[in-house]
Amino acid sequence: MNSLIKQDLSTIIRERHSVRKYDASFKIPREEIEEILSEAILAPSSSNLQPWRFIVIDDQEVKKELRQIANNQEQVETSSAIIAVLGDKEMYHNIEKVYRSNYEAGFMNLETVEQIIQNSKNVYTQASEEIRKNIASFDTGLVSMQLMLIAKAKGYDTVTMGGFDKEKFMKKFNISDRYMPIVLIAIGKAAAPAYQTTRIPLKEIIEFI
């Protein structure tokens, strides 16, 4: 499974389903998880500030402990790994790093970079925490979806879990108040087919104006 399975995007989207039954004996190498994440973080974000962090939990004993924090969901323990996606409420700390890097890469001239840095600092530092939390939540949703599609393209299955005790999670993993846990993503090899699901017909939810 080292090479990307050649499928078109439409096929990957249609075949991706939430899987809750995993082969507990199957383990994804950490190198492959890093490959998946390195592509996932190409997702867009507000002002390209990338307000996400990841904790990859693949130790079996730690997963057992996490299962109790995550409402005893079986997939927490049987999947190859759990990828916790955290939102950065203080994404403005990334401004200098992001835009200096753009300059060093030759993507922007220095004058443009300096202007964007100043404007971004003004906007994000003056924004309320609630606004910044909303931005981080939205952007982590984008990176999470991209992560799941990339995993499916590589032959793996996933399921997102929002149902876990976030306070206990933060305490367990000693997470700074700067970050907020958004979702847990189980990743691994399915041991049983996912339940098929339907969607509300498009004609009921679309309007052209």
Side-chain angles (χ1 to χ4, degrees):
M1 289 196 181
N2 288 329
S3 61
L4 182 68
I5 295 175
K6 295 186 181 300
Q7 301 180 75
D8 63 69
L9 181 58
S10 180
T11 300
I12 293 167
I13 289 171
R14 292 174 184 278
E15 292 187 353
R16 187 217 62 80
H17 297 286
S18 295
V19 169
R20 292 175 174 80
K21 295 287 184 181
Y22 289 90
D23 179 353
S25 67
F26 182 82
K27 296 300 176 186
I28 302 174
R30 287 185 172 185
E31 294 77 12
E32 284 200 66
I33 293 177
E34 288 180 350
E35 288 176 10
I36 290 169
L37 285 171
S38 69
E39 294 184 350
I41 61 175
L42 298 176
S45 60
S46 179
S47 299
N48 193 32
L49 295 186
Q50 305 158 57
W52 44 62
R53 294 293 183 274
F54 308 95
I55 299 175
V56 180
I57 303 152
D58 59 2
D59 180 275
Q60 201 58 36
E61 291 306 311
V62 179
K63 287 196 293 174
K64 285 181 182 179
E65 296 176 28
L66 178 58
R67 180 172 178 171
Q68 303 311 309
I69 295 174
N71 297 328
N72 198 35
Q73 295 180 79
E74 176 187 332
Q75 61 267 24
V76 173
E77 189 173 345
T78 58
S79 58
S80 289
I82 298 297
I83 302 174
V85 186
L86 313 179
D88 183 359
K89 296 181 290 185
E90 299 176 12
M91 69 286 286
Y92 50 80
H93 291 302
N94 298 335
I95 292 171
E96 289 271 356
K97 180 189 297 183
V98 167
Y99 287 101
R100 296 293 178 198
S101 177
N102 285 343
Y103 169 69
E104 291 167 5
F107 298 151
M108 293 181 177
N109 62 48
L110 186 57
E111 182 180 357
T112 300
V113 165
E114 296 288 358
Q115 183 177 5
I116 293 177
I117 287 174
Q118 189 57 52
N119 291 344
S120 296
K121 283 183 177 179
N122 290 339
V123 170
Y124 287 91
T125 57
Q126 293 178 24
S128 68
E129 182 178 78
E130 188 64 25
I131 288 174
R132 286 186 273 109
K133 285 171 68 175
N134 288 339
I135 291 170
S137 296
F138 182 85
D139 289 348
T140 51
L142 295 175
V143 79
S144 296
M145 189 69 251
Q146 189 143 306
L147 188 163
M148 290 187 287
L149 291 176
I150 292 165
K152 187 62 180 176
K154 290 181 177 290
Y156 300 124
D157 293 288
T158 57
V159 62
T160 55
M161 295 166 281
F164 62 101
D165 190 318
K166 294 176 172 59
E167 288 186 9
K168 287 183 179 179
F169 182 89
M170 290 186 70
K171 185 176 180 180
K172 167 67 180 174
F173 295 100
N174 195 30
I175 297 169
S176 162
D177 287 339
R178 171 177 170 176
Y179 303 102
M180 54 182 185
I182 304 294
V183 294
L184 305 177
I185 301 178
I187 181 170
K189 183 178 180 181
Y195 291 112
Q196 299 296 303
T197 58
T198 60
R199 292 295 183 269
I200 297 171
L202 181 62
K203 65 182 180 180
E204 295 182 21
I205 58 173
I206 187 174
E207 179 180 0
F208 287 102
I209 298 176

